[in-house]
Structures are given as structure tokens and as C-alpha cells.
Amino acid sequence: QKEVEQNSGPLSVPEGAIASLNCTYSDRVSQSFFWYRQYSGKSPELIMSIYSNGDKEDGRFTAQLNKASQYVSLLIRDSQPSDSATYLCAVNVRGSTLGRLYFGRGTQLTVWP
Amino acid sequence: DAEITQSPRHKITETGRQVTLACHQTWNHNNMFWYRQDLGHGLRLIHYSYGVQDTNKGEVSDGYSVSRSNTEDLPLTLESAASSQTSVYFCASSGPGLAGNEQFFGPGTRLTVL
């Protein structure tokens, strides 16, 4: 089992819809969870960090964390074509605060007008 | 503004040559990382450093080396380039504490080994 699993997609939603991206992880002591957005040909860009169970909202983005289920998700409300990108889930390694992360392979999202 | 830069952005080299990719950050971060990204594999960690004179191997370190002589720079060297090392290489850095897991990425270097 890989440390971080994401639906490979691609996920396609119409403009204005809610896009839901899911991620599961295997390391029960992980404390830090991240979502990165990567446009084609560009580098990953951090868009959300979440450390506690529950929801964290930032604009149109909501990250949801359930440590008991080892599950983290990203909701994008009112999806826009500019949200079309690959979304990477990342989890810290063995509870380390020293920065090592496990990355999922990413979910490709397409938002069509 | 603080940033992380990589150079060159594109590089074409021949099999067997030594290649060094530069990474420079002005965040004053202790932690620095090198990844390669290939289709079907996602981001794979090559080497990382938690501070000056500290280096560690990641999951795909064979054929690569790094050195950390100051806080700002972590150059990645391919000792003898191979076609299998054709990839996009990303450098990242992160700071202290729990938020130290937040990694910030450079723009990447696209390396082609012929």
C-alpha cells in the first residue's frame, strides 16, 4: 500500500460546480496534510494546509481532515476553468516536523465552461 | 520577496557527462529537498538536507549527490548522466516547526540526457 493514495482521475466538472478531491494515507502518526496545485509545465504550489480534524476554509477551497479514517479531501466550490490543474495531496512522514513529505500521484481536474 | 530559484531551467546533456543543477533560496529555510517528477511516478525524493553539512538520501538517490555548504544553496549533481535521468527536477525548501512541513517549490529544471 502506498503511503498516500489519490484517485488518479481525470476528474471533469462543469464551471460553477463543486469539485471533490480525495486522499487517503497509511501513516497513522501523520500530523500535517497539504494540498498542492500544479498547472501543466509548472511547479507545485501550496494551496491548503490542515493540521486538525474538521474543515478548514480558504476562499473557494475547503480542506477536510478525518484522522480516524486517515482521509483528507479538498473541495473546490464554484469551480472555474482556471482551477484546471493536477492536485497533489501530501502528508508528513512519520509525524516528523522536519519537513519530509509523502506525495500522492495527483488527481487531474478539468473544469469545462 | 523571498523566493527559491533553480538554474538552468532547461538543460540538454550527453550520457556520461557530469551535470550540476543549482537551487538557491532566500527564505532562510533550514530544510531543502530535491525531487524528480516523471509521468506515472509523481514526485520522488532524491536527496534532502536539514541544515548546513547535513545531507540525506531519498528514495531514488542512486547516481545523484548533493552538498550543503550554506543555508541558501543545495546543488544537485548527476555524477555520470544516464538517459534514465531525463526528467523534470524540482527543488523545495521548508522552515521550522509544524509549519516547517510546508514545502515551497522552485520553478523546476527540465533535463534531457541524450
Side-chain angles (χ1 to χ4, degrees), chain A residues 31-32 34 36 38 42-44 46 49 51 88 92 96-101 103 105, chain B residues 31 33 35 37 40 43 45 48 50 90 94 97-103 105-107:
Chain A
Q31 304 168 331
S32 308
F34 307 93
Y36 286 81
Q38 186 174 23
K42 301 296 185 181
S43 59
L46 179 65
S49 308
Y51 304 98
L88 305 174
N92 73 314
S96 170
T97 59
L98 292 179
R100 278 197 66 185
L101 299 177
F103 282 88
R105 293 189 178 184
Chain B
N31 309 329
F33 308 85
Y35 296 90
Q37 189 174 41
L43 283 167
L45 184 62
Y48 58 103
Y50 290 145
F90 291 107
S94 69
L98 193 62
N101 289 306
E102 294 182 347
Q103 291 188 16
F105 285 78

Side-chain angles (χ1 to χ4, degrees), chain A residues 52-100:
Chain A
S52 303
N53 278 328
D55 295 358
K56 178 182 178 182
E57 187 174 315
D58 183 0
R60 296 185 296 109
F61 298 97
T62 299
Q64 300 175 316
L65 175 60
N66 183 326
K67 291 185 179 180
S69 300
Q70 294 176 244
Y71 175 90
V72 58
S73 65
L74 179 71
L75 301 178
I76 306 175
R77 293 182 302 281
D78 188 25
S79 296
Q80 301 296 309
S82 59
D83 295 326
S84 298
T86 296
Y87 290 81
L88 305 174
C89 173
V91 174
N92 73 314
V93 173
R94 293 192 298 279
S96 170
T97 59
L98 292 179
R100 278 197 66 185

